[in-house]
Amino acid sequence: MMKLKVRTTRGGATGFLKPLDLLLVVVMVMTFMLAGCGDATPGATATLPSTTATTSSGAFLPQYWPTTGWRTSTPEEQGVDSQQLLTTLNHIEQDNVNVRTLTVTRNGYILLEAANQPFTLNMPYQVYSVTKSVMGALVGIALHEGFLKDVNQKVLSFFPERTIANRDQNKEAITIEDLLTMRPGLDCGDDKLNGAMEASKDWIQFTLDLPMASAPGQKLVYCTAGVHLLSAILTKATGMPTSVYAQSRLFDPLGIASADVKWDKDPQGITIGGYGISMKPRDMTKFGLLYLAGGKWESKQVVPEDWVTASTRVHATGENQKDYGYLFWVYPTHFAAEGLGEQMIKVVKSRNMVVVMTSAIDWHKGPVILRLLEDYIIPAAKSDKPLSANPVALQSLRDKVAYLNNPLKPVQALPPIARSISGKAFSLPDNPVGWKNLTFNFAEGKAEVQINVVQQNGADQATASVAVGLDNVYRIETLEGGGFAARRAYWADEKTLVVQQIQSAPEIQETEARLEFSGDRLKLHVEEKVFGTYSYDFEGTIS
């Protein structure tokens, strides 16, 4: 079938959507698991210790290490208010904050986990530029092991075999630290390049050839291409792919299995430095806990403690109190690894909290996740001591979890137009999504509609029948080659059917199709809902 190319930016990867799977989704139903309801390893009653263990520099050390399994706790046992967490969930649901998964820990214990249907906590998520913070950790480890001398090493010294364009005194002066702090001076801003590196045959050569926009070390410019240079440098220095080095030095000590981490490569086989990792939420939480603990894990200093400190303090000043360290964002209240769509690992040192979210939110729409953290989640940590048990609030929270875990709603009565068009095929002109005709099969009171789609791909046609839930529950289809497409629909008015889809492969995408019926005519509007990367309008008639 014809494939439609869709590019994401800001550290994202290029992906392809099958047009048949463009019937997509914008509002997601949250299914939540409270600590104690999931598969975390239960232990003895988890309470705050009378004294908190710390490293020499004062970093928090948990009572146990979740290398082989997490322990859970009630919120109150860790000084967190269940009612405030309930308020958080209500806000997410009522305001349609498109959070896919949510994990809240304090003192190393899982207090709350969330996964929106059809997603699960056990699947890996493409976390985009969260990858950059992992790269920052690897640079610190490589420095400690002697593979790199110091952060003042010149970048071009690692590429003596290459002929580099636009070579001048400023380019010669770029250091490893300049790449770590997003201040290389290269004309490499993501908004400027807009996928040009990915379109080139040799990403490293492309980046090295870029002209200089300023002297290095002066201005913070978000530059994914520069972080990819760090991966090439690390590969040269260690003699192994960055992903292999990461597994042995970082992921293995944390108990993160290689099968649970996927990391993409560039055309030359170099591990992508600026994005490309897929991880499970609990493994993301382990990375956050590692940094909360000053780089220590069990009896091993995985990341040098002074490197953690250096990485999470301000080196480059940004906007709106959002500054930059060594490939970490630094806020007044916390530091964070962040990725496209608001993938987040938030580390709140003052509260011993790690908050992990995978989301589908356009960052241009404002700091939605930052407000969620600072207005709802951080304030839930009321005390450094256990709170009095609050069984009423805890039960309300669990009741909310149970409700969100089963989003079933009564099926809407079919409008008259649904009865008149059921079973009739709508023919469509040539269109960007390749649909030739659509047939809708409705039945009064039935919880789903079957949509038959004839897809044109060159001279070939393919026919498929997809189930779409009408009861607020997605119908899930396993896609060829892995992944899934999940679909549901609702009647927005007497003549407009809104069909929503979530597709998980090759990367998660969300699309909405609005279908307006009028007599024998059909108007369609198909739109990618999160990043607005495509939008199409076309019409059809009953054949």
Side-chain angles (χ1 to χ4, degrees), residues 95 120 130 175 212 242 301-302 365 411 445 454 482 514 516:
D95 289 4
T120 71
V130 168
T175 64
M212 298 296 291
T242 298
Q301 192 69 42
V302 175
K365 296 178 181 178
V411 178
V454 177
R514 298 184 67 88
E516 182 179 336

Side-chain angles (χ1 to χ4, degrees), residues 38-44 64 66 68-73 109-110 282:
D39 61 350
T41 304
Y64 80 102
T68 59
W70 286 90
R71 297 179 188 175
T72 63
S73 171
Y109 290 92
I110 291 178
R282 286 190 174 186

Side-chain angles (χ1 to χ4, degrees), residues 9-28:
T9 59
R10 203 172 174 251
T14 300
F16 296 88
L17 289 179
K18 296 181 179 179
L20 178 59
D21 297 314
L22 282 173
L23 294 171
L24 239 217
V25 111
V26 69
V27 181
M28 308 210 305

Side-chain angles (χ1 to χ4, degrees), residues 108-131:
Y109 290 92
I110 291 178
L111 309 183
L112 176 67
E113 290 185 291
N116 55 47
Q117 191 229 8
F119 299 110
T120 71
L121 293 162
N122 198 42
M123 64 180 287
Y125 293 85
Q126 170 64 270
V127 295
Y128 301 102
S129 291
V130 168
T131 305

Side-chain angles (χ1 to χ4, degrees), residues 159-206:
F159 305 97
E161 77 285 1
R162 291 182 181 261
T163 300
I164 298 171
N166 297 303
R167 195 161 186 159
D168 61 12
Q169 186 175 359
N170 280 335
K171 186 175 285 191
E172 294 279 359
I174 300 172
T175 64
I176 289 175
E177 184 173 52
D178 294 327
L179 299 181
L180 290 167
T181 59
M182 294 287 184
R183 299 180 299 177
L186 290 166
D187 194 9
C188 61
D190 283 15
D191 291 343
K192 177 73 175 291
L193 295 184
N194 194 26
M197 179 184 73
E198 289 82 357
S200 69
K201 295 180 180 180
D202 185 330
W203 296 10
I204 298 301
Q205 190 66 49
F206 172 88

Side-chain angles (χ1 to χ4, degrees), residues 39-68:
D39 61 350
T41 304
T45 301
T47 58
L48 289 171
S50 57
T51 58
T52 301
T54 60
T55 67
S56 59
S57 67
F60 163 78
L61 293 177
Q63 291 177 301
Y64 80 102
W65 296 98
T67 310
T68 59

